[in-house]
Amino acid sequence: MALFCGNAVSIIGTGICIPEKVLTNNDLSKMVDTSDQWIVERTGIKERHIASDNEMTSDLALMAAESALLDAGIDRSEIDMIIVATNTPDTLFPGVGPIVQGKLGASNAGAFDVQAGCTSCIYALAVGASGIASGVWNKVLVIGAEVLSRIVNWKDRNTCVLFGDGAGAVILAKSDGASSRLLSTRLCSDGEKSELITLPAGLIANPANLETLQNNLHYVHMKGNEVFKFVNKVLPPFITKLCENSGLTVEDIDWWIFHQANLRIIESVMKRLSVPSEKAVIDLARYGNTSAASTLIALHEAMKDGRIKEGDRVLLASFGAGMTYGSLIYQA
Ligand code: COA
């Protein structure tokens, strides 16, 4: 079942936080054997933002949350739950959620992190919305935040050209059942493909030691080409099914917000769905792949610049380490 039942859930505020420092493709070509032309042709990325040494995931998350609260015009005391989607928590514990909750002074809120690769933000939105739909919570702050630059090997051209840092936040609230509402969601995982994106060492399976450090096992490892093929195979039928289960067709979707991993992936998935590429919200040229933050940043920008209008149907879809994938349909 894909449809949200019970209380209607709406998005009442959004915010983002993008670190100031910009790293262009030309900057990268001085660090590894690559070029602006290769990166643009293969990924669509032109530049990405990088957190400064003293900026942590919780700092970006906090700033995105504050701007979403301002946008929603509500007090922090009204938040019942804070869910942070991240693969780069400041530390394993405490989680980013409780750190943000404390710094925000959201004294009535619980807080926790969700870690499901780049799909974490869709999982977090689905959990937050389900909590409101069922009547357990009234208002939920969902944040996607990453400082991927600290787990990227800046000497590995296969991965370092792809990622960037940033945060996006959304406030979900019980609504009066007006037209604006989250319609449906579907979350999947294919753990048999878990070797495609990994961070091999630094935790239980492979505690950090001199050897893991020397072998760069504390950095992201990815079989990029296989990820590309996996996404092209699973995402189009998965999305078609979600639309069907929601009583919609792909033509009923006004805006497509895919995980901003690679322009070629987005274009080929849209082509397989026979959807014109003008319906895609794309910002990866400026931000790169910000993992769990990426769809929330794109959603914020498209809502704020007027592309997404009242009544539009917006489909968010993501994929990532696990391999997880998921999608959610929102009527603005
Ligand atoms: N600059 C220049 N050359 C590079 C390069 C770089 N940054 N990275 C790889 N290459 C080279 C490779 O060494 C290879 O050279 P060879 O043909 O001499 O062996 C060649 O470019 C092609 O490599 P390949 O890996 O086949 O390229 P690709 O077209 O698959 O593009 C990715 C690589 C990573 C951009 C692409 O596979 C991708 O985006 N995959 C999905 C990754 C993703 O979305 N991850 C996030 C999931 S959350």
Side-chain angles (χ1 to χ4, degrees):
M1 191 62 189
L3 296 177
F4 286 111
C5 305
N7 295 319
V9 183
S10 191
I11 294 175
I12 61 164
T14 63
I16 59 173
C17 173
I18 307 295
E20 254 176 52
K21 186 179 162 193
V22 175
L23 187 72
T24 65
N25 291 348
N26 284 329
D27 295 333
L28 272 170
S29 68
K30 291 172 196 136
M31 297 158 63
V32 285
D33 180 15
T34 191
S35 65
D36 176 54
Q37 191 189 353
W38 191 96
I39 303 170
V40 171
E41 277 176 13
R42 300 292 176 118
T43 71
I45 298 165
K46 295 192 172 122
E47 58 189 36
R48 68 286 295 141
H49 291 248
I50 303 292
S52 60
D53 289 347
N54 60 356
E55 259 174 332
M56 284 181 282
T57 301
S58 60
D59 297 316
L60 305 187
L62 180 66
M63 282 194 265
E66 278 173 341
S67 96
L69 276 169
L70 210 60
D71 188 43
I74 62 163
D75 191 81
R76 51 208 66 205
S77 62
E78 294 177 54
I79 300 289
D80 300 306
M81 185 55 64
I82 298 173
I83 309 177
V84 178
T86 185
N87 300 284
T88 50
D90 303 2
T91 53
L92 191 55
F93 44 88
V96 178
I99 296 173
V100 170
Q101 181 265 327
K103 288 192 176 165
L104 209 52
S107 49
N108 296 314
F112 64 100
D113 293 359
V114 168
Q115 194 250 310
C118 302
T119 323
S120 303
C121 49
I122 308 291
Y123 274 72
L125 285 171
V127 170
S130 302
I132 296 172
S134 65
V136 176
W137 305 317
N138 279 320
K139 292 191 177 75
V140 176
L141 167 60
V142 173
I143 309 168
E146 302 281 14
V147 177
L148 293 154
S149 55
R150 306 253 172 88
I151 59 162
V152 162
N153 180 356
W154 291 102
K155 292 188 176 133
D156 174 13
R157 69 177 184 171
N158 291 303
T159 50
C160 76
V161 302
L162 302 173
F163 298 103
D165 301 334
V170 158
I171 296 175
L172 302 175
K174 184 170 124 183
S175 74
D176 56 8
S179 70
S180 167
R181 58 194 292 168
L182 269 60
L183 300 178
S184 57
T185 187
R186 196 167 167 226
L187 306 171
C188 284
S189 165
D190 183 353
E192 288 183 9
K193 298 279 187 310
S194 58
E195 84 291 352
L196 296 190
I197 309 173
T198 58
L199 194 129
L203 281 173
I204 310 307
N206 238 339
N209 59 39
L210 200 54
E211 199 183 324
T212 63
L213 287 176
Q214 280 164 347
N215 292 324
N216 292 315
L217 299 181
H218 54 301
Y219 291 128
V220 177
H221 289 245
M222 188 178 66
K223 297 179 180 162
N225 209 272
E226 288 182 47
V227 172
F228 199 100
K229 285 187 224 151
F230 173 83
V231 176
N232 268 295
K233 188 171 155 218
V234 299
L235 224 48
F238 166 76
I239 286 172
T240 307
K241 186 89 185 138
L242 173 63
C243 289
E244 274 171 25
N245 289 352
S246 313
L248 302 170
T249 65
V250 288
E251 288 79 30
D252 293 324
I253 305 298
D254 299 291
W255 290 106
W256 295 76
I257 305 187
F258 284 101
H259 172 39
Q260 307 285 304
N262 183 318
L263 184 59
R264 280 165 55 223
I265 296 185
I266 297 175
E267 286 177 344
S268 80
V269 170
M270 301 266 302
K271 201 169 161 202
R272 280 165 200 260
L273 290 165
S274 304
V275 177
S277 54
E278 306 84 75
K279 286 190 172 185
V281 175
I282 292 169
D283 63 18
L284 53 73
R286 289 176 288 135
Y287 302 133
N289 176 350
T290 57
S291 191
S294 94
T295 54
L296 300 186
I297 293 172
L299 175 69
H300 168 85
E301 292 197 335
M303 287 178 90
K304 291 304 156 205
D305 67 16
R307 269 176 288 176
I308 296 174
K309 299 195 171 49
E310 208 180 317
D312 281 356
R313 291 195 193 95
V314 183
L315 184 143
L316 306 174
S318 191
F319 54 86
M323 294 291 289
T324 59
Y325 49 107
S327 183
L328 185 142
I329 303 177
Y330 174 58
Q331 184 162 297

